[in-house]
Amino acid sequence: MKWLPLIGMCLCVAVILYLAYWVTRRIAMGNMGGAITSGGHMRIYDRLPLGQNKAVVVARVGLRWLVLGVSDEEITLLTELSEEESRIWRQTKQVSSEAAVPKFSDIISDVLRKKNDKK
């Protein structure tokens, strides 16, 4: 009986820590350029950091694809992608992201193959 309040307090602390982790993760994902951020009709598709608080961002606003320079002081329109350029950019982005991350099954098969080759 005297352990019950201690266990209850530990559970409360664990729940509070988990909620703090979850909230900060959601906030960070919304503000990071690496993550795709979206609103009603606007979406950020890619971000390239150039320095402290400076980046180049590819965003879609409605049907328009924009390349923006972003800093603490201002946001500058660098160029607007045509429909063909945006289509090519999306295809190359998709191919490069798929090629950059190997599949888990490929990694396991490579490890097993190397292990069998050593025997």
Side-chain angles (χ1 to χ4, degrees):
M1 276 301 225
K2 61 185 191 178
W3 293 100
L4 192 58
L6 180 62
I7 292 172
M9 285 193 313
C10 289
L11 284 175
C12 285
V13 168
V15 167
I16 289 170
L17 288 174
Y18 176 76
L19 289 174
Y21 166 77
W22 183 79
V23 167
T24 54
R25 186 126 193 243
R26 295 282 296 182
I27 291 170
M29 289 177 77
N31 292 333
M32 286 176 47
I36 294 177
T37 309
S38 66
H41 298 282
M42 296 183 283
R43 192 171 195 159
I44 295 174
Y45 281 89
D46 203 1
R47 182 175 192 264
L48 175 66
L50 299 176
Q52 187 174 2
N53 301 325
K54 295 179 180 137
V56 174
V57 174
V58 176
R60 188 187 80 208
V61 179
L63 298 175
R64 298 173 62 189
W65 287 79
L66 309 173
V67 179
L68 306 169
V70 179
S71 70
D72 283 343
E73 295 82 30
E74 65 183 336
I75 298 173
T76 307
L77 176 64
L78 301 176
T79 189
E80 183 174 344
L81 299 177
S82 68
E83 185 61 37
E84 182 180 340
E85 289 171 328
S86 66
R87 185 175 38 79
I88 292 170
W89 180 83
R90 284 179 288 183
Q91 288 173 349
T92 57
K93 174 89 172 136
Q94 184 178 20
V95 168
S96 66
S97 67
E98 289 173 358
V101 180
K103 292 182 181 177
F104 181 73
S105 59
D106 295 338
I107 294 171
I108 293 296
S109 63
D110 287 344
V111 169
L112 292 174
R113 185 173 34 85
K114 289 177 184 177
K115 186 176 179 181
N116 288 337
D117 289 345
K118 287 183 180 180
K119 288 183 179 181

